[in-house]
Amino acid sequence: MQPTRLVNVTARRPGDPEPDLLGISLAHRAMVTDVGRVATLTSAFADGGMTCTPRRARAVARYVNLLCDSVHHHHTTEDQILWPVIEASAGGSVDLTELTEDHAALDPRLDRLRALAAGFRLNVGDKESAAPLAAGLTELHGLLHEHIADEEREIFPVIRQYVSVDDWAAVEKAAQRSGRMSFDGPRTVAVMTEQERVALSETVSPILLALITVLSVRHRRFDRRVFG
């Protein structure tokens, strides 16, 4: 599902509360962490340090595809929803060109990773199919790490200064509606500190928390099939 562009943006006024950026920070952390985990795993297959069963090869390929979808969804939401909100709120105070170009450069890499994951599945995770997948994931991990560091350094202060709490809440809701909660929710919770868990419990509805708890149980089974 594609995110829906927001309209009727109202810029934050001096003295208004700042948006809470914990959600996007956790999404960034989950992406970098998970790409790194899968890169390490597939590198072990490529090096011959670990063998792969057909069942595990299918699970790894499925995980890579879901991870690519998650990365694509995140940067598409930024391009189509968040960037217009920032531009409408901050005016000429920010230039998003370089970050947008980074996003455009990601999609061909994600498509290649999906194709490499299919080859990994068909060849039951042998060294020859694992090596290019591991190399692609390692490259993606480095690119995401650098891009996210740039984004948080350049864009987070702009959001806090210019975007209203209401508009930020609308951005987050739009991202949640068009995302895959069964995959993204548990992975986000997994990278949280205890302090962040407490903070989240104070802002998220009990129903959503209960849903994420149920989804996390199912995701842990999937995670064990992939990572052991």
Side-chain angles (χ1 to χ4, degrees):
M1 182 186 302
Q2 289 294 317
T4 304
R5 187 182 295 268
L6 302 179
V7 293
N8 300 325
V9 170
T10 301
R12 176 179 176 269
R13 297 170 300 182
D16 285 351
E18 294 181 356
D20 181 355
L21 304 187
L22 176 59
I24 190 173
S25 298
L26 291 171
H28 285 168
R29 193 187 307 164
M31 278 192 294
V32 174
T33 298
D34 255 13
V35 174
R37 291 175 73 209
V38 185
T40 299
L41 176 68
T42 51
S43 293
F45 292 133
D47 295 341
M50 190 182 301
T51 57
C52 190
T53 64
R55 182 172 184 264
R56 192 172 190 181
R58 291 193 298 271
V60 171
R62 172 67 173 160
Y63 203 96
V64 171
N65 275 286
L66 289 171
L67 192 52
C68 288
D69 290 348
S70 181
V71 173
H72 174 77
H73 168 261
H74 183 84
H75 78 68
T76 300
T77 300
E78 289 183 337
D79 288 339
Q80 298 184 2
I81 298 179
L82 179 55
W83 282 187
V85 168
I86 291 175
E87 288 172 336
S89 302
S93 300
V94 62
D95 183 359
L96 300 168
T97 303
E98 189 170 337
L99 293 174
T100 302
E101 290 172 350
D102 285 351
H103 289 171
L106 279 175
D107 281 335
R109 289 178 168 86
L110 297 177
D111 288 340
R112 183 169 184 271
L113 284 171
R114 293 184 182 98
L116 291 171
F120 180 89
R121 183 186 68 249
L122 290 173
N123 291 284
V124 196
D126 62 11
K127 294 168 64 174
E128 288 72 22
S129 63
L133 179 57
L137 287 163
T138 300
E139 178 194 38
L140 178 63
H141 183 255
L143 290 172
L144 283 177
H145 190 276
E146 181 179 358
H147 171 77
I148 286 171
D150 290 343
E151 185 176 306
E152 293 187 354
R153 183 181 61 253
E154 297 172 14
I155 299 302
F156 278 19
V158 175
I159 295 173
R160 291 189 178 102
Q161 181 174 355
Y162 293 105
V163 177
S164 70
V165 169
D166 287 346
D167 287 337
W168 182 251
V171 169
E172 292 195 314
K173 287 179 182 177
Q176 291 166 5
R177 282 196 301 269
S178 58
R180 192 189 299 268
M181 179 64 72
S182 60
F183 186 67
D184 293 331
R187 291 168 49 252
T188 299
V189 171
V191 300
M192 295 173 68
T193 66
E194 187 57 36
Q195 183 178 2
E196 289 166 343
R197 291 175 194 271
V198 172
L200 187 69
S201 68
E202 294 173 350
T203 58
V204 173
S205 73
I207 294 175
L208 180 56
L209 286 176
L211 174 61
I212 293 176
T213 299
V214 172
L215 293 174
S216 294
V217 173
R218 296 177 57 190
H219 184 79
R220 279 195 292 272
R221 293 196 291 266
F222 181 29
D223 191 274
R224 285 194 294 269
R225 290 200 302 273
V226 175
F227 297 100

